[in-house]
Amino acid sequence: MQTVRVHTRMDAVQSPIVAVVGDLIRQVPGTISLGQGVVHYGPPESALNSARDALTDPETHCYQDGAGNRPLLEAIAHKLQRDNGIDLALGSRVMVTAGGNMAFVHAVAAITNPGDEVILPVPFYFNHEMAIQIAGCTAVLVKTDERYQLDLDAIQAAVTPRTRAIVTVSPNNPTGAVYPEAALRAVNRLCQERGIYHISDEVYEYFTYGTARHVSPGAFDGAHAHTISMFSLSKAYGFAGWRIGYMAYPEALADAIAKVQDTILVCAPVISQVAAVAAMDVGPAYCQRYLQPLAEIRDVVAAELRALEPLCTVPPVDGAFYCFVRVNADVDPMKMSERLIREHGVAVIPGPAFGMTEGCYFRVAYGALQKATVAEGIGRLVGGLRSLLA
Ligand SMILES: Cc1ncc(COP(=O)(O)O)c(C=O)c1O
């Protein structure tokens, strides 16, 4: 019997790191996970009630319009104008997807040919690199500075005739950096000048602390024609399992995006869309009530980790719920992460998953922590690092 050839471009795509770390966690019961980027709360009650009511509506069980259900599209249009300053009437469309990750996959499929390049500042969000490789394209990695802010000269130098897009994620996963408006304007302008797209991942739009402010590049003058802005209900509304995200994208891409959506998803799960309308009706106030406790947890996490200096370096964390730590020692990040789980019962995500292949880095996610668990989790991490790096 002949074996079927299984070597494809997937071989070059990294394995889903959260699942890899999850396997290790399962082997060590009681491990506190600072791994997965999730929040500790679920959806608003009214969203759950709407979903319950929708169970008896025959429409819930049918295919629906690909772009999204009318009430949800209206809620999104209103929110984009109110919270992001994005006016769809200038020439953008909205597509509701099964989460922000799918919006990114759709966008890459719609704007690239195999062999094209997409610029990713590093550290990157792993699923972005994976999506680019799955599309047969090359992720061109561009360094950021020591505070994980964009290096505009490096980005400019990385643009080639094959570049199709520059990706920014602000607030950032995995670093927690929030990019200032001037930097986002510069990237957006560069994209306009070079005839390429600015893909702006804004799934952490509401998660900023202190004086940091979220800015949507899609609202800049003239940006609508080359900016693809992505959002998600996963974090803001505790909706990760309901799989609802959306993007605002230039009208010129409508046919291409519709083809990808119809092939991959047909339409986002109808019951989740119904729940999403109710959640968006509650609005950002829903997650804003969790921001103060989250900011306090961030302060504890940053202070505890900073106490490890000079063993580790912890840049400022202005947004999202991540902290990206550099270990100032010659250690293998994968082995270190494994030992933190096996010997100290605490899980983090190692830097290579985010494209940091030189040096030792790891991401701490604190969105799932309550104040009670944060002390224990960070205590284990700090104790573990002190003992492993001694
Ligand atoms: C930067 C970024 N984009 C997109 C996503 C995807 O979120 P979802 O597909 O659940 O909307 C995540 C999730 O962690 C993320 O961190």
Side-chain angles (χ1 to χ4, degrees), residues 37 98-102 125 128 169 173 201 203-204 231-235 240 243-245 322:
N101 270 3
M102 185 176 277
Y125 170 54
H128 286 168
V169 181
N173 176 7
D201 181 323
V203 311
Y204 299 97
F231 306 90
S232 170
L233 273 71
S234 292
K235 322 287 171 179
R243 309 306 305 134
I244 294 289
Y322 305 108

Side-chain angles (χ1 to χ4, degrees), residues 21-262:
V21 172
D23 277 348
L24 278 170
I25 292 175
R26 269 187 293 282
Q27 292 171 30
V28 185
T31 297
I32 294 181
S33 177
L34 307 176
Q36 199 168 14
V38 287
V39 290
H40 64 78
Y41 51 87
E45 195 54 39
S46 56
L48 301 179
N49 290 337
S50 290
R52 264 183 221 108
D53 293 345
L55 289 172
T56 52
D57 180 350
E59 290 292 306
T60 303
H61 314 298
C62 302
Y63 293 128
Q64 302 276 343
D65 276 355
N69 291 359
R70 186 66 27 212
L72 183 54
L73 290 175
E74 280 167 13
I76 290 171
H78 176 68
K79 174 267 179 186
L80 286 171
Q81 183 89 62
R82 181 195 64 205
D83 296 355
N84 308 100
I86 295 175
D87 181 0
L88 296 174
L90 293 175
S92 304
R93 298 260 180 111
V94 167
M95 177 68 73
V96 178
T97 52
N101 270 3
M102 185 176 277
F104 191 84
V105 170
H106 280 18
V108 171
I111 66 172
T112 62
N113 287 312
D116 282 345
E117 297 171 357
V118 177
I119 293 178
L120 288 185
V122 268
F124 52 62
Y125 170 54
F126 36 74
N127 288 127
H128 286 168
E129 191 212 28
M130 292 162 77
I132 292 163
Q133 291 173 332
I134 288 170
C137 298
T138 303
V140 174
L141 309 186
V142 174
K143 71 179 176 65
T144 51
D145 71 14
E146 67 288 347
R147 295 161 74 90
Y148 305 123
Q149 289 291 331
L150 297 174
D151 180 334
L152 295 164
D153 291 338
I155 291 176
Q156 192 153 10
V159 178
T160 76
R162 296 232 67 161
T163 308
R164 300 302 298 134
I166 301 172
V167 179
T168 58
V169 181
S170 181
N172 190 268
N173 176 7
T175 66
V178 177
Y179 301 149
E181 178 170 342
L184 290 169
R185 277 192 186 276
V187 170
N188 198 265
R189 205 175 313 117
L190 177 64
C191 290
Q192 188 171 30
E193 284 163 9
R194 304 299 282 263
I196 58 181
Y197 290 96
H198 182 176
I199 302 181
S200 172
D201 181 323
E202 304 175 36
V203 311
Y204 299 97
E205 60 183 321
Y206 299 122
F207 294 84
T208 55
Y209 311 108
T211 55
R213 290 284 166 273
H214 171 66
V215 176
S216 292
F220 300 155
D221 271 354
H224 61 275
H226 63 276
T227 307
I228 306 175
S229 313
M230 306 183 167
F231 306 90
S232 170
L233 273 71
S234 292
K235 322 287 171 179
Y237 296 100
F239 244 62
W242 292 77
R243 309 306 305 134
I244 294 289
Y246 55 96
M247 62 177 155
Y249 65 92
E251 222 155 56
L253 292 173
D255 282 350
I257 298 273
K259 289 175 192 173
V260 190
Q261 173 86 335
D262 194 62

Side-chain angles (χ1 to χ4, degrees), residues 301-363:
V301 170
E304 295 274 333
L305 290 171
R306 288 216 175 95
L308 283 170
E309 281 172 341
L311 272 183
C312 295
T313 306
V314 188
V317 184
D318 292 325
F321 31 76
Y322 305 108
C323 192
F324 201 64
V325 180
R326 191 176 80 212
V327 177
N328 299 318
D330 186 16
V331 279
D332 179 315
M334 303 303 286
K335 287 197 185 117
M336 190 191 72
S337 300
E338 184 168 348
R339 287 188 66 187
L340 281 170
I341 297 174
R342 291 198 191 285
E343 297 167 29
H344 300 278
V346 64
V348 295
I349 304 285
F354 309 97
M356 299 300 263
T357 47
E358 274 165 35
C360 180
Y361 295 82
F362 62 88
R363 185 191 77 176

